[in-house]
Amino acid sequence: MRITPQDASLRTCEICALAPVMPVLVVEDAACARPLAQALVAGGLPALEVTLRTGAALDAIREMAQVKGGVVGAGTLITPKDAEAAKAAGAQFGVSPGATDALLDACEAIGLPLLPGAATATEAMRLLARGYGMLKFFPAEASGGAPALKAIGAPLPQISFCPTGGISPANAESYLSLPNVVCAGGSWVAPADLVKAGDWGAIEALARDASRLGKS
């Protein structure tokens, strides 16, 4: 059951490499979860991050875990209890805005691959020293955007990133063109109005467009 930081990073890197964009989802109604996941997967975005920001999040993970072809993870993991609840709900990986020893210890103990967050070279180096080579760069735009991530990558080329926070179709390519970026996290592929309207066709189209980013 236990997972090493090195194996955790290998697994999260594999998941991030499934598509250029990982949808960051805030699900208010678990009844929408399965059709939402189906639309995103059909559009070419199989790796899904459900943030633990709503009361429906864990139920949404349970629903999405049943969708063929999808790989569902839990975002906004802050505490060991968050990690345990996410794993019990069926999450195949976790994502955190930062990293604490308590959270890292818990995820390793229960075998939940974690994508921990870092915004500075010091934070990235500390995680690398523990064995984590695949990180979340958050908050991406507020932390200097693609130029900052490019600068961090110069002395730390052995670390790969999934930038998240302020990513949009307008700036995604600037991140995806960097050699240290595997994918980018974004919420634009599942806007709240389309989810509320149940317009799964429109969401699938947005996902399909996002799946083509970085391939031109």
Side-chain angles (χ1 to χ4, degrees):
M1 177 181 286
R2 174 173 285 275
I3 191 169
T4 67
Q6 293 81 1
D7 286 344
S9 280
L10 285 173
R11 181 56 184 145
T12 54
C13 190
E14 290 171 353
I15 292 169
C16 287
L18 291 173
V21 173
M22 181 185 296
V24 179
L25 308 171
V26 180
V27 181
E28 301 286 353
D29 182 359
C32 298
R34 193 174 299 205
L36 172 59
Q38 289 170 334
L40 292 168
V41 172
L45 304 181
L48 311 172
E49 177 191 340
V50 178
T51 60
L52 299 190
R53 301 181 194 173
T54 71
L58 291 173
D59 286 334
I61 290 171
R62 292 187 185 94
E63 289 296 316
M64 290 186 176
Q66 308 304 314
V67 174
K68 185 177 180 180
V71 181
V72 63
T76 324
L77 298 187
I78 306 296
T79 68
K81 286 186 176 180
D82 291 337
E84 292 161 5
K87 180 77 181 290
Q92 297 181 52
F93 66 100
V95 184
S96 177
T100 65
D101 288 335
L103 180 62
L104 295 169
D105 289 343
C107 288
E108 290 163 16
I110 63 175
L112 183 67
L114 180 68
L115 183 66
T120 67
T122 297
E123 292 169 349
M125 287 171 63
R126 285 176 175 163
L127 285 162
L128 181 64
R130 182 159 175 149
Y132 287 88
M134 179 71 216
L135 309 178
K136 171 179 175 174
F137 181 59
F138 177 84
E141 282 293 284
S143 298
L149 192 50
K150 180 180 181 180
I152 289 174
L156 298 170
Q158 65 272 58
I159 302 178
S160 297
F161 291 92
C162 169
T164 304
I167 312 294
S168 70
N171 61 18
E173 294 280 9
S174 66
Y175 289 95
L176 293 171
S177 66
L178 299 178
N180 59 340
V181 169
V182 179
C183 74
S187 59
W188 80 87
V189 292
D193 57 337
L194 294 183
V195 173
K196 187 174 182 180
D199 193 343
W200 311 124
I203 289 175
E204 181 178 339
L206 288 173
R208 188 169 294 108
D209 288 341
S211 74
R212 300 188 182 108
L213 290 172
K215 297 181 180 180
S216 57

